[in-house]
Structures are given as structure tokens and as C-alpha cells.
Amino acid sequence: MPHRVAVLALDGVIPMDLGIAARVFNEAVGPTGARLYSVTTCSLGGLPVRTSEGFQIVVDEDESLLGSADTVVIATQEPGDHLLTTGELPARLAAAFGRIGPRTRIVSLCTSAFLLAAAGLLDGLRATTHWALCDRFTRLFPEVEIDPDVLFVDNGRILTAAGGAAGLDLFLHLVRRDHGATVAGAAARRCVVAPWREGGQAQFIEHPVPEDADRSTSATRQWALDRLDEPVTLQDMARHAHMSERTFTRRFRAEVGTSPLRWLVQSRLAQARRLLESSDLTVARIAAVCGFGDPVVLRKHFHTHLGLSPLAYRRAHCAPEPVRSG
């Protein structure tokens, strides 16, 4: 059975964001070409929904669909004055949320994090929403740890995205989490989007365009990716880019949204995950070819960023078990 995804459309929904879940999940297919997810859109009472762009949409299902879904997505909608003033859900929406099962995965896009917070689903958790509304979110929901500097936050059962294209990143992350990097990468190629942006990458918060834009750090990034097995340092990257370390770091952050060394660790982790999924190399060998050197260091990064060991990750993604222990 495909994983059942219910997308809830509410008045004020942003049309682009409403279609992101189906766009990504419908491109995730198994070895036979069968879709791994089924995506259905619903509304309160199955009624037409007014969008933020001056037209209405018609759906085939009502909120009863939420009770049978494996994943519920709350599409981005413009929060109403009542919610922004009181932090309270309208009664009918609260009743709809009550249909969601205790093990159902829940995803909010952009300002829909306000709805999850108002329902008490984010209490004590870390979350994100559009950076422009994070201060208001904090005033309304001080019990939620809001992070304005990331694309999305994965709490396991509940995930929140910053909005816009961050929804693409979050749904590709879920496909990767559910079925591995190979399936997620293929889905990304069909959608013609980048296959990998970590949730911890910064939101694009009015970053100024770097001076001398032709002096991009992209060539140095590719140079570093070709040398993941080597002990590349910040000094090495700055020297390759013919910049001081300070200038290189500033330009890198403006272009990528994170620091050079954090990006390098993320790139090494991404390569390690691909090798764990697709090869029978030992953990020790993967640590070496990805630049971590010691397998203990690789295990530490896996536990920090993914919450499990490299071998547990390999077993979960059905890659061949290594012949030798690593």
C-alpha cells in the first residue's frame, strides 16, 4: 500500500505551496515504477477554498480524510487576525485536527506552524516558520522554541518548514528518510530541483548580494567536493579562492547560507550516506574516503545529525551488509 498523504487546504492557502507535496511525493517511485505515496487534498466540509491569489479551488474530500492518513500536510495559508491576536484555533479547525491519529506524521508549511502551535502540537518542541513572523510567533507561543535560521525542523513525528521552496527540501527529506537517497535523488531530478539541502541551512533572510559577484565560491566548493577524502581546511579553501579567510567566509555565507566548515561536514555526511546505501564498504573505509578519518568520528557525526549509527542507517536503508566489521 502506498503511504497515504492528506493535504489540508484552508482559506487563504497559497496555491504554489498547496501543490508542493503532490509534486514531490508523486515522483517517488519504487523499483517497478509504482508510486510510493498517494496524495489527496481535502478541505473543511469538502467546500471550495479561497486562495491568496484571488481564485478558488475545489477538492474532492473533507476533513474526515485526516483520520486515515499516514502523513497530514497543512499547506501554507495566510493566518487570520483572530489567530494572530489570540493564538487560538477556530473550533471547526480544532475539531478537524482532533481527527488526526496519535501516530500520524504531521507537516506544516510556512505560517501553518501557527496552527500547529495553537493546537498545542509544538509545545516543548523546536520549530520554524517564515523568518518575518518568528518574533510574532514567539510572543504568541513562548513554549515553542522557534528557529528563524533554518529551512525546516524534523522532530520525528512533527515537522515544520520555513515556507516556499523549503517545502521542496522538507518533502525530499521525508522521501530520503522513508526510502533512501537514491529514491529521493531520482524524485528531485524529475522535479528538476536540487536533491539535497539540509534542514539546518539558513533561510535566505535578505542576504546582500556579494560585491564582485563574478568571484563566486562555487569553483572552490567543487574543488573541495572532489577532495572529500583529504583534510581540507578553511585556509585551504580560502587559498584556492584567492581570498583571505575572512573574505571567503563572508562570501561563502552570502552564497550558501552557512559556514564553509559546516557545509563541508554536511557534504561529507551526504557522501557517507550515499555509500552506506549503495555500497558494501566498511564503516572504517567510508570514514576514510569521506574525510572523517576515524570511524569513531563518523559515528559521532551520525549520532549528532541523524540520531543513529552508520550501521543502523545502512540496515534501515537496505544496503548490503559489509563483509567485514568497521
Side-chain angles (χ1 to χ4, degrees):
M1 287 287 293
H3 183 102
R4 297 163 298 181
V5 179
V7 181
L8 178 61
L10 300 169
D11 278 342
V13 67
I14 295 178
M16 172 185 163
D17 293 13
L18 179 60
I20 289 176
R23 184 70 185 92
V24 173
F25 286 135
N26 285 341
E27 298 296 349
V29 298
T32 66
R35 286 181 174 176
L36 299 171
Y37 302 85
S38 65
V39 184
T40 307
T41 303
C42 65
S43 68
L44 298 182
L47 298 173
V49 175
R50 175 187 54 83
T51 74
S52 64
E53 303 302 325
F55 61 88
Q56 291 187 330
I57 61 170
V58 176
V59 301
D60 294 329
E61 302 287 343
D62 63 19
E63 65 268 34
S64 63
L65 184 70
L66 304 180
S68 59
D70 301 305
T71 293
V72 169
V73 177
I74 315 299
T76 308
Q77 44 71 53
E78 295 180 345
D81 292 338
H82 177 77
L83 175 61
L84 290 176
T85 302
T86 67
E88 298 176 355
L89 283 181
R92 189 169 185 182
L93 183 55
F97 278 10
R99 294 175 176 269
I100 300 174
R103 296 186 179 181
T104 301
R105 187 163 62 189
I106 305 174
V107 177
S108 74
L109 298 182
C110 197
T111 52
S112 291
F114 280 79
L115 302 178
L116 298 192
L121 293 169
L122 294 177
D123 288 357
L125 298 179
R126 179 168 160 263
T128 193
T129 188
H130 194 285
W131 60 269
L133 290 175
C134 282
D135 288 344
R136 194 161 195 175
F137 187 102
T138 298
R139 291 194 296 271
L140 280 174
F141 309 109
E143 62 277 14
V144 182
E145 180 189 351
I146 196 70
D147 189 340
D149 298 322
V150 297
L151 296 179
F152 62 83
V153 175
D154 182 349
N155 286 299
R157 178 185 172 230
I158 298 179
L159 302 93
T160 53
L168 290 169
D169 299 301
L170 185 148
F171 292 128
L172 285 170
H173 165 75
L174 284 178
V175 174
R176 187 181 302 111
R177 197 177 92 175
D178 293 344
H179 299 286
T182 300
V183 173
R189 286 191 295 275
R190 294 187 188 99
C191 293
V192 198
V193 296
W196 183 270
R197 287 203 305 172
E198 280 284 0
Q201 181 170 326
Q203 295 184 35
F204 292 99
I205 307 174
E206 297 183 350
H207 290 304
V209 176
E211 298 176 4
D212 301 324
D214 57 322
R215 293 189 62 196
S216 169
T217 63
S218 59
T220 297
R221 276 178 267 144
Q222 187 57 55
W223 175 85
L225 289 174
D226 293 338
R227 292 163 176 78
L228 288 180
D229 60 331
E230 301 176 14
V232 175
T233 65
L234 174 60
Q235 183 181 29
D236 294 332
M237 289 190 282
R239 184 183 300 116
H240 179 271
H242 305 290
M243 302 178 193
S244 69
E245 292 181 27
R246 182 175 181 179
T247 298
F248 177 77
T249 299
R250 176 173 57 82
R251 291 182 185 274
F252 197 101
R253 281 188 177 277
E255 293 176 18
V256 181
T258 190
S259 71
L261 293 182
R262 183 173 182 178
W263 170 85
L264 191 58
V265 169
Q266 291 174 347
S267 299
R268 285 175 166 154
L269 276 173
Q271 177 68 355
R273 290 168 73 166
R274 285 191 288 268
L275 291 174
L276 285 166
E277 294 176 20
S278 61
S279 78
D280 62 356
L281 293 176
T282 66
V283 171
R285 182 58 183 156
I286 290 174
V289 300
C290 294
F292 290 107
D294 192 326
V296 174
V297 177
L298 176 62
R299 293 187 185 101
K300 179 180 178 181
H301 280 291
F302 259 72
H303 277 292
T304 299
H305 293 274
L306 302 174
L308 72 172
S309 70
L311 288 180
Y313 182 89
R314 168 172 267 160
R315 285 192 295 269
H317 292 84
C318 303
E321 289 287 344
V323 176
R324 306 174 303 280
S325 61

